[in-house]
Amino acid sequence: RLLRLVLRFPSSSYICFVVVATLSAVWSIFPLYTLFYAYKMWIATFLILYVAHEAKIRHLSPSEILLHTVGWAYGLGLGLLTVFFFVNPDLVTRPTPGILGFRLTGGFLSDYGAYGLVTSAFIITMYWHRTRDPLFKLVGVIAFVWALIALILAQTRSTLMAFVLFLLAFVLFGVRGLTKVMWATGLAILGFLGATLAGQAILAFLQRGQDLEGFFTLSGRTYLFSFLMDHWRDSPLVGWGFQAGSRYFAVQFLEQTGMNMGAAHDAISKILVDLGLLGGVVLLHAVGSLLLALGWLYRRLPRDQWLFLLSLGLYGLANSAFGAGVADSAPTWVVLFLTPSLALSFCHPLKGTPRGD
């Protein structure tokens, strides 16, 4: 039954994307590479279905369990990052020109601010209001402050942008009445003071020691985008194979320019090079379905769950602009696209229950 649910709106479009990604192994330039990453998405899908099934048996909300799993997983990642940072910083940092002189990249954990971003959103939306114990409140405050520090130390523009978008969304949808006025006023004052008193310092921080050319080309992303699009035109309909195409041509870009970008750094060039117009249309439909589902769930899903799901969506949006984003095979995106169908099937409108503070 749960499998049938994710084959309905809005998750059905994303399942179609996973199917296309898997089938692309037929024409991929590296079939086994493509199958490996497609396999990751299928494993994540069936794990999600298993967790949802177990939650249903125990009369729990599948969406709540899945979102809590994501939140605690990122919290655990932040914990590991913290241990390595204080025990051996060289494992999770990288020297970088600029104000700080280093970035908290996460090393083999591949963080770049994601752990701090998702953990802070999880604490704000799904943790603080659930506990009345002052000790647990204090622990939450400390964890939130450290998550924010880790986010800043990462100096990753996409996660910083996602955090700003989340704060704006939280003010618009997460609080009401006087609390909303206080939040909006506080953020406006903070933004004004930051721009007025520390505008140059903030710009230098965001530049990370780059010159203006490096800053405005997004660390070379625009060059890589043009390079990938040139190769997409050689196979515009179906691309070169999921993950394999963009990775292969990113290596070619490194050999020709010396700029080590690793892989595509935006969702558009990645999906077009990997899966062509076919994959682009399917993924675009999946994103549109997700947005529609978030609108439907606004008054049907408990506010804390909806806000955290929205924060994951905003993270996906920002990461798609500066990284592979939702065109990648990360389990977080599988949860993001499958949870709405499960939520729409199991939640009900809370009639007569206001969405207050």
Side-chain angles (χ1 to χ4, degrees):
R1 182 172 179 268
L2 288 171
L3 181 59
R4 291 198 301 270
L5 291 179
V6 296
L7 294 177
R8 299 177 183 174
F9 171 86
S11 301
S12 54
S13 298
Y14 188 73
I15 295 297
C16 287
F17 169 69
V18 178
V19 170
V20 171
T22 305
L23 292 177
S24 71
V26 175
W27 62 83
S28 173
I29 51 178
F30 296 111
L32 291 179
Y33 194 82
T34 292
L35 285 175
F36 172 76
Y37 284 98
Y39 176 75
K40 282 179 59 178
M41 290 194 292
W42 283 115
I43 289 295
T45 298
F46 286 109
L47 282 176
I48 289 168
L49 292 177
Y50 174 76
V51 171
H53 175 69
E54 291 298 313
K56 181 176 179 293
I57 291 176
R58 291 163 173 77
H59 305 288
L60 300 173
S61 166
S63 58
E64 182 177 16
I65 298 300
L66 287 171
L67 293 174
H68 270 272
T69 301
V70 171
W72 285 109
Y74 275 86
L76 177 61
L78 180 63
L80 290 174
L81 185 68
T82 303
V83 171
F84 287 122
F85 180 71
F86 285 104
V87 173
N88 190 349
D90 292 337
L91 290 175
V92 292
T93 61
R94 186 179 69 193
T96 303
I99 294 178
L100 299 180
F102 72 94
R103 288 182 67 188
L104 186 62
T105 62
F108 67 95
L109 295 174
S110 300
D111 171 44
Y112 291 98
Y115 293 139
L117 170 68
V118 177
T119 301
S120 60
F122 177 70
I123 291 172
I124 290 178
T125 58
M126 302 188 71
Y127 178 85
W128 267 340
H129 74 283
R130 287 176 176 262
T131 178
R132 301 295 181 183
D133 190 311
L135 180 60
F136 282 99
K137 288 279 189 182
L138 178 61
V139 171
V141 170
I142 294 173
F144 175 77
V145 171
W146 171 241
L148 189 57
I149 292 174
L151 176 62
I152 294 172
L153 292 180
Q155 300 182 69
T156 305
R157 291 182 280 254
S158 60
T159 49
L160 289 170
M161 182 177 74
F163 183 74
V164 172
L165 291 174
F166 166 69
L167 286 180
L168 294 175
F170 182 75
V171 172
L172 287 173
F173 303 109
V175 292
R176 300 179 66 181
L178 182 60
T179 306
K180 175 177 289 191
V181 174
M182 293 174 60
W183 269 88
T185 303
L187 290 177
I189 293 175
L190 184 63
F192 175 78
L193 291 177
T196 304
L197 302 178
Q200 292 296 325
I202 293 174
L203 181 60
F205 171 79
L206 293 175
Q207 284 185 256
R208 302 196 302 255
Q210 297 173 327
D211 56 21
L212 289 179
E213 180 184 3
F215 182 70
F216 287 113
T217 60
L218 303 176
S219 304
R221 284 174 171 83
T222 56
Y223 299 137
L224 179 60
F225 177 83
S226 299
F227 185 84
L228 291 176
M229 295 303 286
D230 287 340
H231 287 283
W232 162 65
R233 294 185 182 94
D234 295 330
S235 181
L237 295 181
V238 295
W240 298 90
F242 183 62
Q243 296 283 52
S246 56
R247 178 64 175 174
Y248 173 76
F249 290 117
V251 172
Q252 297 295 309
F253 179 77
L254 168 64
E255 294 176 351
Q256 294 183 28
T257 66
M259 300 177 67
N260 186 11
M261 304 297 291
H265 275 63
D266 68 279
I268 295 176
S269 65
K270 176 173 176 54
I271 191 63
L272 289 177
V273 171
D274 283 351
L275 298 175
L277 290 173
L278 172 63
V281 170
V282 173
L283 184 59
L284 182 62
H285 189 269
V287 172
S289 298
L290 175 65
L291 295 176
L292 286 175
L294 285 174
W296 274 95
L297 288 169
Y298 176 61
R299 294 196 177 277
R300 292 172 171 81
L301 200 64
R303 186 181 57 175
D304 57 346
Q305 296 179 40
W306 186 84
L307 283 171
F308 188 54
L309 188 61
L310 178 64
S311 70
L312 293 179
L314 293 173
Y315 172 39
L317 174 66
N319 195 254
S320 296
F322 296 95
V326 297
D328 204 359
S329 59
T332 302
W333 310 137
V334 184
V335 174
L336 174 64
F337 281 97
L338 297 192
T339 299
S341 283
L342 297 171
L344 283 169
S345 300
F346 288 97
C347 70
H348 303 283
L350 303 178
K351 297 181 179 179
T353 303
R355 296 171 60 88
D357 296 337

